[in-house]
């Protein structure tokens, strides 16, 4: 995104950018889709790991 388009959203995104320095932030246009996809991928990864991992 160009900086001109971000000007109106900077105040809104500043807390996200600050938090992103300390943790992974996932932002999706449709957060429900993103969260459900992540949950599905975590289940698949957990199933692929050994029990003693």
């Amino acid at each position: 995104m160009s900086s001109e388009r971000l000007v109106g959203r900077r105040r809104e995104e500043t807390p996200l950018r600050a938090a992103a320095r300390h943790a992974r932030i996932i932002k999706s246009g449709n957060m429900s889709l993103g969260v459900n996809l992540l949950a599905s991928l975590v289940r698949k990864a957990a199933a692929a790991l050994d029990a003693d991992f």
Side-chain angles (χ1 to χ4, degrees):
M1 251 184 201
S2 70
S3 60
E4 298 84 30
R5 292 180 68 191
L6 283 176
V7 169
R9 296 174 50 189
R10 258 185 226 279
R11 184 178 301 161
E12 168 187 327
E13 293 194 5
T14 299
L16 287 176
R17 290 176 192 255
R21 287 190 292 259
H22 306 287
R24 298 231 183 240
I25 304 294
I26 300 171
K27 184 176 177 186
S28 172
N30 181 344
M31 200 59 189
S32 177
L33 175 63
V35 170
N36 287 322
L37 176 61
L38 179 62
S40 175
L41 292 173
V42 168
R43 277 193 295 275
K44 288 180 181 183
L49 295 173
D50 292 336
D52 61 345
F53 179 74

